[in-house]
Amino acid sequence: MRYPDGGGLTAEGRAGRERAGLETAEMFAAGMSTSAVAVRLRVTRQAVNGWRRAWQADGTAALLSKGPGGSAPKLDEGQVAVLQAELRRGPAAYGWDDQR
C-alpha cells in the first residue's frame, strides 16, 4: 500500500523541514559552530557537518526540501483503486481460507 502524498513527509512536514533548512543556513551564515548548531537543532554533529558542506557548495538552496522522495508509482490512480477494491474483497473471494 502506498503512503499518502507520495510517501515520507506530508506537505506540512516538508514545510517544517524547509523552515529548519533556512534556519540552519542563517546559523551557518552567522558563523555558529557545528557543535552549537547541533545542540540547538538537537541533531548529531555529523548531520550538521553534511549540511554545512552542502551549504558551502550550493548555498541555501542545498538545505531546502526537494519535495516528496522515492520513485514514481508504477500504478496509476485507476489501477490503485482496482487493487484496493480487490484487496477489500479478501482472500476468501479467491478461494483461500481467510483463517490462514
Side-chain angles (χ1 to χ4, degrees):
M1 190 58 76
R2 290 180 11 196
Y3 290 102
D5 196 26
L9 295 175
T10 63
E12 181 178 300
R14 284 190 303 276
R17 182 172 285 174
E18 190 134 315
R19 283 190 302 276
L22 292 171
E23 181 181 351
T24 303
E26 290 172 6
M27 288 186 257
F28 292 157
M32 286 182 71
S33 71
T34 297
S35 295
V37 173
V39 168
R40 185 162 179 187
L41 298 177
R42 298 185 335 194
V43 298
T44 65
R45 286 176 302 158
Q46 291 85 352
V48 176
N49 280 329
W51 296 338
R52 187 179 298 276
R53 282 191 299 275
W55 176 73
Q56 287 171 334
D58 298 318
T60 302
L63 302 177
L64 300 179
S65 176
K66 311 284 189 286
S71 59
K74 295 186 186 283
L75 302 179
D76 63 32
E77 293 301 318
Q79 291 170 318
V80 170
V82 169
L83 176 60
Q84 287 173 334
E86 294 300 315
L87 289 172
R88 278 192 293 273
R89 290 181 60 198
Y94 299 95
W96 292 92
D97 180 2
D98 62 354
Q99 297 301 312
R100 294 183 185 202

